[in-house]
């Protein structure tokens, strides 16, 4: 075992103590030496030297008893053999860019020594994009490039390599958007090009566009307006099921009945309708929200601030005159203007149940039981219905996203995790679920549903109340998975559940793989105990203090005689 001695943190009092011990031992040693008491002089010096050493903040580095070398630049050994080696090792010495997250997940935790000088010379990129989106949503690909030094670009290409979208930027991050025109499963392509026009990397971008689930909406309004009419038109275009009622006169109500039986996910009311409702009607409404529904209030015609304070705990402030009216532009470019009663931002925002977004001052929200309430303090969006129809749809989609409409689902599946953004052929990935009536799942390729494998679900230690199955895809491409219900459980919705995941080839996106491997190492390092991370050990002080006391005791006895 080899050790390297070194000094850690110093302080003024440590320096003073060591100096006093050293000076005192030298002075008394010189006195004894002048008296021809050489042994006493040696004892004084040794006692002082031992005290000085005990006062010093000394530590030493100790090499591990056994270290396993993992060179990710070479072909890796069998994971089972590597696992067995690490069981008897104290540490791991890693060279290269590292291993993927699935490999680290299966290896025991050991102290990690990573030589970053052995990293690949090529650039590393981070890609973020959803593999599944609902029809009508905008697909967004985000590419992060830490080595950006000028104007670079990202291209999104169709399966026939025609450019669908392109964006040029100067920063370290570029976002590129595209609106899919059809419901289908596809494999797009992306190119990242540097400042000199040279290709940095390219690879597949898998995307599955799913049918938009029907939104079930109940609308109640105390007066007609151009804004509510525009909202009705947008919801109708999205095939939402609507129960819509608008008060036109004292005894005249315009009704639009739902085309099918429905239980509304989203409740929309203008502020006047809420204010005119009786206390019992408001309590009943809030009970529905508490059970998991969402409530959207259009605050343009609010008049009674006290009702909102007492019912929802929402403080409002009145604009004194039309001159105080504010105008905004949403991120989508929609022009809005403020209303008479605006939410009042409290001094301590953290103590308020309402969430205030300084970038969207026209909208506040809060949770209410299992549901959510959103107050929209803006008007005038109907003016964008013709000239900016697509932008208006995107803005209203963002508002509906904020309402966080909850749907009753028997199944809750997770085909990956934040640290498993890229499933690779030949490497394991997990499919996990909570609250399912299933014992196994069936995984098959999209090319041949008959060539499938059945995987047993087992409890997972790191995922509370979850059961997971691990799968090793033999090749790249789309894979579908289907839960298999228990034999004694009849689940009519089981056949409609499941999902799909794209498996990348080993050669796909080398720059992205480099970044994911480095992120996986950081996650692995977080699991290492602090004692294993530090290879430095404090020098033991008590033997030196004991030796000093023995020297002084011997000196005292000699003085007595």
């Amino acid at each position: 075992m080899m050790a390297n001695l070194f000094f850690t943190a110093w302080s003024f009092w440590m320096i003073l103590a060591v100096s006093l011990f050293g000076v005192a031992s030298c002075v008394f040693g010189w006195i004894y030496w002048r008296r021809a008491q050489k042994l006493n002089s040696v004892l004084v010096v040794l006692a002082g030297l031992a005290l000085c050493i005990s006062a010093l903040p000394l530590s030493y580095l100790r090499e591990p008893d056994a270290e396993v070398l993992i060179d990710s630049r070479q072909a890796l050994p069998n994971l089972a053999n590597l696992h067995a080696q690490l069981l008897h090792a104290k540490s791991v010495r890693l060279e290269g860019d590292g291993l993927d997250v699935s490999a680290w997940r299966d290896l025991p935790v050991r102290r990690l020594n990573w030589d970053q000088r052995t990293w690949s010379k090529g650039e590393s990129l981070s890609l973020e994009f959803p593999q599944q989106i609902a029809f009508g949503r905008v697909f967004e690909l985000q590419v992060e490039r830490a080595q950006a030094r000028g104007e670079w670009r990202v291209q999104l290409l169709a399966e026939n390599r025609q450019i669908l979208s392109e964006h040029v930027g100067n920063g370290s991050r570029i976002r590129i958007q595209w609106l899919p025109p059809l419901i289908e499963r596809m494999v797009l392509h992306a190119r990242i090009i540097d400042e000199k026009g040279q290709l940095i990397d390219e690879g597949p971008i898998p995307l599955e566009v799913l049918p938009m689930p029907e939104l079930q909406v109940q609308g109640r309004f105390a007066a007609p307006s151009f804004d509510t009419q525009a909202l009705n038109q947008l919801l109708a275009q999205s095939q939402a099921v609507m129960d819509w009622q608008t008060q036109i006169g004292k005894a005249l109500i315009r009704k639009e009945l739902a085309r099918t039986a429905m239980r509304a996910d989203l409740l929309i009311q203008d502020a006047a309708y809420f204010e005119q409702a009786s206390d019992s009607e408001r309590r009943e409404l809030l009970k529905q929200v508490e059970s998991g529904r969402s409530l959207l209030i259009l605050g343009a015609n609010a008049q009674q601030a006290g009702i909102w304070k007492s019912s929802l705990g929402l403080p409002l402030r009145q604009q004194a005159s039309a001159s105080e009216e504010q105008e905004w532009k949403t991120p989508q470019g929609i022009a809005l203007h403020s209303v008479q009663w605006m939410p009042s931002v409290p001094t301590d925002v953290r103590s308020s149940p309402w969430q205030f977004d300084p970038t969207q001052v026209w909208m506040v929200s809060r949770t209410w039981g299992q549901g959510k309430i959103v107050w929209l303090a803006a008007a005038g969006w109907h003016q964008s219905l013709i000239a900016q129809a697509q932008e208006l749809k995107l803005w209203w989609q963002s508002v509906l996203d904020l309402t966080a409409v909850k749907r009753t689902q028997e199944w809750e599946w997770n085909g990956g995790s934040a640290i498993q953004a890229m499933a690779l052929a030949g490497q394991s990935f997990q499919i996990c679920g909570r609250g399912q009536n299933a014992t196994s799942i069936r995984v098959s390729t999209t090319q041949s549903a008959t060539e499938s494998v059945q995987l047993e679900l087992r409890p997972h230690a790191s995922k509370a109340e979850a059961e997971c199955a691990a799968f090793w895809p033999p090749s790249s491409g789309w894979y579908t998975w289907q839960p298999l219900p228990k034999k004694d459980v009849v689940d009519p919705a089981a056949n409609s559940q499941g999902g799909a995941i794209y498996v990348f080839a080993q050669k796909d996106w080398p720059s992205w793989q480099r970044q994911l491997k480095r992120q996986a190492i950081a996650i692995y390092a977080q699991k290492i105990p602090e004692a294993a991370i530090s290879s430095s050990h404090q020098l033991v002080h008590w033997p030196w203090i004991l030796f000093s006391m023995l020297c002084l005791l011997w000196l005292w006895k000699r003085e007595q005689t």
Side-chain angles (χ1 to χ4, degrees):
M1 181 184 296
M2 300 177 62
N4 298 319
L5 203 64
F6 65 96
F7 294 94
T8 56
W10 286 82
S11 71
F12 169 77
W13 297 110
M14 286 182 182
I15 296 173
L16 182 62
V18 171
S19 301
L20 289 175
F21 290 153
V23 171
S25 62
C26 289
V27 170
F28 284 105
W30 179 77
I31 293 174
Y32 279 119
W33 190 271
R34 290 289 302 271
R35 294 178 181 176
Q37 300 177 358
K38 296 182 178 180
L39 181 57
N40 291 356
S41 176
V42 171
L43 289 174
V44 168
V45 172
L46 289 176
L49 180 62
L51 286 176
C52 288
I53 294 175
S54 67
L56 290 174
L58 289 174
S59 299
Y60 66 94
L61 286 174
R62 185 175 63 188
E63 296 294 333
D65 297 331
E67 187 176 62
V68 174
L69 171 64
I70 299 179
D71 190 348
S72 60
R73 299 167 297 182
Q74 309 295 330
L76 295 177
N78 182 278
L79 280 180
N81 296 335
L82 187 58
H83 186 279
Q85 294 177 36
L86 287 177
L87 287 177
H88 305 288
K90 298 292 185 182
S91 64
V92 177
R93 183 159 62 92
L94 179 65
E95 295 183 356
D97 293 315
L99 308 179
D100 66 277
V101 65
S102 62
W104 288 118
R105 185 176 58 236
D106 298 331
L107 294 176
V109 177
R110 294 294 181 266
R111 184 167 60 86
L112 184 65
N113 299 317
W114 188 19
D115 188 357
Q116 297 185 2
R117 295 172 299 177
T118 62
W119 281 10
S120 300
K121 301 300 182 183
E123 292 196 31
S124 60
L125 302 173
S126 290
L127 275 68
E128 291 184 18
F129 60 91
Q131 283 200 15
Q132 292 182 331
I133 62 172
F135 181 65
R137 296 293 186 95
V138 174
F139 170 77
E140 182 176 276
L141 167 65
Q142 176 178 291
V143 182
E144 186 171 356
R145 179 179 173 231
Q147 299 90 341
R149 294 295 182 271
E151 193 174 80
W152 58 291
R153 69 184 60 199
V154 177
Q155 294 178 341
L156 183 66
L157 295 87
E159 293 174 308
N160 61 1
R161 296 299 189 267
Q162 289 188 351
I163 296 178
L164 299 173
S165 183
E166 183 176 14
H167 192 83
V168 179
N170 293 311
S172 62
R173 183 175 301 173
I174 287 181
R175 289 185 176 92
I176 190 169
Q177 295 183 335
W178 176 64
L179 182 63
L182 298 172
I183 298 173
E184 61 177 327
R185 186 179 294 157
M186 66 191 85
V187 181
L188 305 175
H189 201 81
R191 290 187 191 138
I192 292 89
I193 302 171
D194 67 8
E195 301 84 355
K196 300 177 182 178
Q198 297 178 349
L199 182 67
I200 300 174
D201 205 350
E202 62 179 334
I205 302 293
L207 176 62
E208 183 179 25
V209 183
L210 302 173
M212 174 73 79
E214 287 185 342
L215 183 64
Q216 299 182 349
V217 183
Q218 181 194 82
R220 297 292 184 265
F221 306 96
S225 72
F226 290 116
D227 281 340
T228 56
Q229 185 178 348
L231 176 57
N232 179 282
Q233 186 174 336
L234 291 173
L235 291 172
Q237 291 174 358
S238 68
Q239 304 300 314
V241 180
M242 293 186 292
D243 176 9
W244 202 268
Q245 295 185 15
T246 305
Q247 186 85 27
I248 299 177
K250 266 192 174 182
L252 185 59
I253 299 177
R254 185 177 64 199
K255 296 183 178 180
E256 182 180 337
L257 301 179
R259 60 179 180 269
T260 59
M262 59 168 278
R263 180 188 180 275
D265 302 307
L266 175 62
L267 310 172
I268 303 177
Q269 295 186 1
D270 62 8
Y273 187 91
F274 186 93
E275 292 172 350
Q276 293 171 13
S278 63
D279 291 341
S280 60
E281 289 174 335
R282 282 197 289 267
R283 284 194 297 269
E284 181 62 30
L285 173 66
L286 295 178
K287 281 183 181 179
Q288 295 180 45
V289 178
E290 190 175 5
S291 66
R293 300 185 185 186
S294 299
L295 174 63
L296 174 61
I297 299 292
L298 307 182
N301 54 4
Q303 296 292 333
Q304 304 178 46
I307 289 181
W308 302 102
K309 180 67 175 177
S310 60
S311 300
L312 304 180
L314 176 63
L316 299 178
R317 59 175 178 82
Q318 186 178 17
Q319 295 189 133
S321 63
S323 61
E324 292 188 21
E325 185 176 287
Q326 304 175 54
E327 294 184 355
W328 310 290
K329 282 279 188 179
T330 71
Q332 297 78 11
I334 302 301
L336 301 174
H337 63 78
S338 60
V339 295
Q340 183 181 4
W341 288 92
M342 297 292 296
S344 178
V345 181
T347 306
D348 186 5
V349 177
R350 291 176 296 180
S351 64
S352 173
W354 289 88
Q355 297 176 5
F356 298 84
D357 186 351
T359 63
Q360 300 186 87
V361 296
W362 57 84
M363 192 159 47
V364 294
S365 64
R366 67 166 295 175
T367 56
W368 192 275
Q370 298 180 2
K372 196 167 186 179
I373 301 176
V374 176
W375 170 281
L376 185 60
W381 62 79
H382 68 276
Q383 298 174 358
S384 304
L385 183 60
I386 297 176
Q388 296 175 284
Q390 186 58 43
E391 291 81 358
L392 185 60
K393 289 179 183 178
L394 295 177
W395 176 67
W396 263 108
Q397 189 60 66
S398 68
V399 175
L400 296 181
D401 287 343
L402 185 62
T403 62
V405 173
K406 296 184 178 180
R407 300 180 184 277
T408 304
Q409 295 181 348
E410 297 289 336
W411 305 82
E412 185 179 293
W413 291 93
N414 177 21
S417 64
I419 62 172
Q420 190 175 344
M422 192 180 194
L424 288 172
Q427 298 179 1
S428 69
F429 72 89
Q430 292 181 333
I431 302 175
C432 300
R434 290 183 177 88
Q436 68 279 359
N437 295 319
T439 56
S440 60
I441 59 175
R442 180 184 291 117
V443 181
S444 60
T445 64
T446 55
Q447 289 81 11
S448 176
T450 57
E451 297 179 6
S452 61
V453 60
Q454 186 169 326
L455 307 173
E456 185 179 354
L457 290 166
R458 298 178 181 275
H460 198 284
S462 64
K463 298 180 185 291
E465 301 178 359
E467 292 182 325
C468 301
F471 176 57
W472 282 261
S475 60
S476 61
W478 282 103
Y479 285 80
T480 60
W481 51 267
Q482 189 79 29
L484 301 178
K486 300 175 183 179
K487 294 180 179 179
D488 56 343
V489 175
V490 178
D491 188 358
N495 293 331
S496 63
Q497 301 298 325
I501 188 169
Y502 184 83
V503 175
F504 292 84
Q506 290 284 347
K507 61 181 177 59
D508 289 338
W509 291 111
S511 59
W512 187 20
Q513 289 194 47
R514 277 194 289 271
Q515 184 65 19
L516 290 176
K517 288 176 180 178
R518 294 169 188 176
Q519 292 174 359
I521 293 172
I523 294 168
Y524 176 82
Q526 292 176 359
K527 303 177 184 178
I528 303 174
E530 188 65 29
I533 294 175
S534 175
S535 58
S536 64
H537 302 268
Q538 293 294 327
L539 195 69
V540 180
H541 297 294
W542 68 265
W544 298 99
I545 298 175
L546 179 61
F547 178 76
S548 178
M549 294 300 102
L550 290 175
C551 290
L552 293 175
L553 182 61
W554 192 2
L555 177 63
W556 177 76
K557 284 189 176 182
R558 287 179 57 82
E559 289 286 348
Q560 295 299 316
T561 58

